[in-house]
Amino acid sequence: MVIHVVVAEDMGLLRGALCAALSREEDMKVVADVEGVGELLTVVRRCRPQVVVLALTPEVPDPVEVVARIDVEAPHAAVLAMSPRWSPALVEAALAAGARGLVGKDCSLAELVRAIRALAAGERAIDPAAAIAVLSPPEMPLTPREMDVLRMAAEGLPLKEIAVRLYLAHGTVRNHLSVILRKTGARNRLEAVSRARRNGWL
């Protein structure tokens, strides 16, 4: 049996490399590839693949939502989710949404191929890195007060409103946010919130 695969990856170079590599496998055929998730459901319904290789990216507001929609609207397709970094929260969310397999973006081609074959056979495939993420979640570096500020930021509140709600000076809130960005390695508030959610801190 030839396994029909759809590849969804927003990076064109990586998507092309994945498609080329998988197409060289005798028992696999890449029936479609898409950039991002916008047209993915339409493609999956049209092409009816056995496996969808789906890259989860932090740029997508809720990357596992599309997994859940595929699970409901195209139950014939098993989702193999890829992520550059697995966190306990992301592993839990992806599995709860219906993903049948989880792999890291740094996995080898052989590991990816084995995972695709396992899903096509009705099995599950969980990357060791994803399993380790659940067993050994990253340590939370923020203080309780910094977490309070980050929670308010996650609600989209401006600095002045955060200061009022937490009974802090405007400058103190700004300083807390600077420390939060440094500790999380984020470039802005949205990225800090996203990373905190992925790591299960929020």
Side-chain angles (χ1 to χ4, degrees):
M1 181 188 76
V2 175
I3 303 168
H4 288 187
V5 180
V6 166
V7 175
E9 162 62 56
D10 59 348
M11 293 180 62
L13 187 61
L14 178 55
R15 188 171 68 252
L18 277 173
C19 292
L22 295 178
S23 296
R24 286 195 289 268
E25 299 294 323
E26 292 183 357
D27 60 343
M28 291 183 192
K29 180 180 180 181
V30 178
V31 293
D33 64 276
V34 297
E35 178 182 354
V37 298
E39 58 181 318
L40 181 56
L41 277 170
T42 301
V43 169
V44 169
R45 284 193 293 261
R46 184 178 72 240
C47 298
R48 298 186 62 80
Q50 282 93 4
V51 179
V52 177
V53 179
L54 171 62
L56 303 183
T57 62
E59 287 73 25
V60 180
D62 189 0
V64 297
E65 182 180 343
V66 71
V67 177
R69 291 186 63 187
I70 290 173
D71 190 50
V72 171
E73 299 182 34
H76 56 273
V79 175
L80 177 60
M82 292 193 306
S83 176
R85 181 183 176 194
W86 288 108
S87 69
L90 186 55
V91 170
E92 182 180 348
L95 293 177
R100 297 287 303 279
L102 308 175
V103 295
K105 277 197 170 184
D106 59 350
C107 75
S108 68
L109 176 60
E111 290 169 328
L112 179 63
V113 167
R114 278 198 298 270
I116 292 173
R117 287 176 179 146
L119 266 62
E123 302 169 5
R124 287 185 176 273
I126 308 298
D127 188 300
I132 290 171
V134 176
L135 297 174
S136 305
E139 185 178 347
M140 209 280 289
L142 305 179
T143 66
R145 178 54 84 189
E146 289 162 359
M147 282 302 303
D148 289 341
V149 171
L150 188 59
R151 287 190 193 94
M152 297 286 181
E155 295 178 21
L157 299 176
L159 290 182
K160 288 183 179 179
E161 180 67 20
I162 294 174
V164 169
R165 290 200 184 190
L166 295 178
Y167 303 101
L168 296 172
H170 182 274
T172 301
V173 172
R174 190 172 57 246
N175 290 340
H176 278 312
L177 281 171
S178 296
V179 173
I180 289 168
L181 296 185
R182 177 174 55 78
K183 286 184 176 180
T184 59
R187 292 167 295 183
N188 52 53
R189 281 198 284 174
L190 285 176
E191 191 173 314
V193 169
S194 176
R195 291 189 180 192
R197 283 175 173 158
R198 287 206 312 271
N199 289 328
W201 304 333
L202 276 179

mmCIF file of all heavy atoms in Angstrom, residues 31 60 81 139 157 163 178-179:
data_model
loop_
_atom_site.group_PDB
_atom_site.id
_atom_site.type_symbol
_atom_site.label_atom_id
_atom_site.label_comp_id
_atom_site.label_asym_id
_atom_site.label_seq_id
_atom_site.Cartn_x
_atom_site.Cartn_y
_atom_site.Cartn_z
ATOM 1 N N VAL A 31 0.961 13.779 -1.838
ATOM 2 C CA VAL A 31 -0.125 14.152 -2.753
ATOM 3 C C VAL A 31 -0.373 15.653 -2.773
ATOM 4 O O VAL A 31 -1.028 16.169 -3.684
ATOM 5 C CB VAL A 31 -1.426 13.396 -2.398
ATOM 6 C CG1 VAL A 31 -1.256 11.907 -2.658
ATOM 7 C CG2 VAL A 31 -1.829 13.643 -0.949
ATOM 8 N N VAL A 60 1.276 30.837 14.814
ATOM 9 C CA VAL A 60 -0.151 30.557 14.701
ATOM 10 C C VAL A 60 -0.768 30.719 16.080
ATOM 11 O O VAL A 60 -0.292 30.107 17.038
ATOM 12 C CB VAL A 60 -0.383 29.117 14.174
ATOM 13 C CG1 VAL A 60 -1.882 28.830 14.070
ATOM 14 C CG2 VAL A 60 0.287 28.928 12.826
ATOM 15 N N ALA A 81 2.242 15.727 14.128
ATOM 16 C CA ALA A 81 2.603 17.111 14.432
ATOM 17 C C ALA A 81 4.105 17.244 14.641
ATOM 18 O O ALA A 81 4.718 16.422 15.329
ATOM 19 C CB ALA A 81 1.853 17.590 15.676
ATOM 20 N N GLU A 139 12.134 24.572 33.798
ATOM 21 C CA GLU A 139 11.937 25.286 35.059
ATOM 22 C C GLU A 139 11.391 26.687 34.799
ATOM 23 O O GLU A 139 11.835 27.379 33.891
ATOM 24 C CB GLU A 139 13.258 25.362 35.811
ATOM 25 C CG GLU A 139 13.140 25.979 37.189
ATOM 26 C CD GLU A 139 14.469 25.982 37.929
ATOM 27 O OE1 GLU A 139 15.392 25.300 37.468
ATOM 28 O OE2 GLU A 139 14.569 26.678 38.946
ATOM 29 N N LEU A 157 -3.872 43.857 28.412
ATOM 30 C CA LEU A 157 -4.026 45.130 29.121
ATOM 31 C C LEU A 157 -2.820 46.040 28.898
ATOM 32 O O LEU A 157 -1.688 45.574 28.844
ATOM 33 C CB LEU A 157 -4.183 44.866 30.623
ATOM 34 C CG LEU A 157 -5.397 44.029 31.048
ATOM 35 C CD1 LEU A 157 -5.357 43.783 32.548
ATOM 36 C CD2 LEU A 157 -6.689 44.722 30.643
ATOM 37 N N ALA A 163 -0.621 48.374 35.978
ATOM 38 C CA ALA A 163 -0.126 49.067 37.173
ATOM 39 C C ALA A 163 -1.250 49.321 38.170
ATOM 40 O O ALA A 163 -1.099 49.102 39.377
ATOM 41 C CB ALA A 163 0.542 50.381 36.770
ATOM 42 N N SER A 178 10.454 44.153 31.234
ATOM 43 C CA SER A 178 11.806 44.041 30.674
ATOM 44 C C SER A 178 12.496 42.782 31.195
ATOM 45 O O SER A 178 13.160 42.059 30.433
ATOM 46 C CB SER A 178 12.639 45.275 31.033
ATOM 47 O OG SER A 178 12.106 46.434 30.445
ATOM 48 N N VAL A 179 12.335 42.513 32.478
ATOM 49 C CA VAL A 179 12.939 41.322 33.082
ATOM 50 C C VAL A 179 12.293 40.065 32.509
ATOM 51 O O VAL A 179 12.972 39.067 32.218
ATOM 52 C CB VAL A 179 12.791 41.360 34.621
ATOM 53 C CG1 VAL A 179 13.254 40.042 35.234
ATOM 54 C CG2 VAL A 179 13.593 42.516 35.200
#
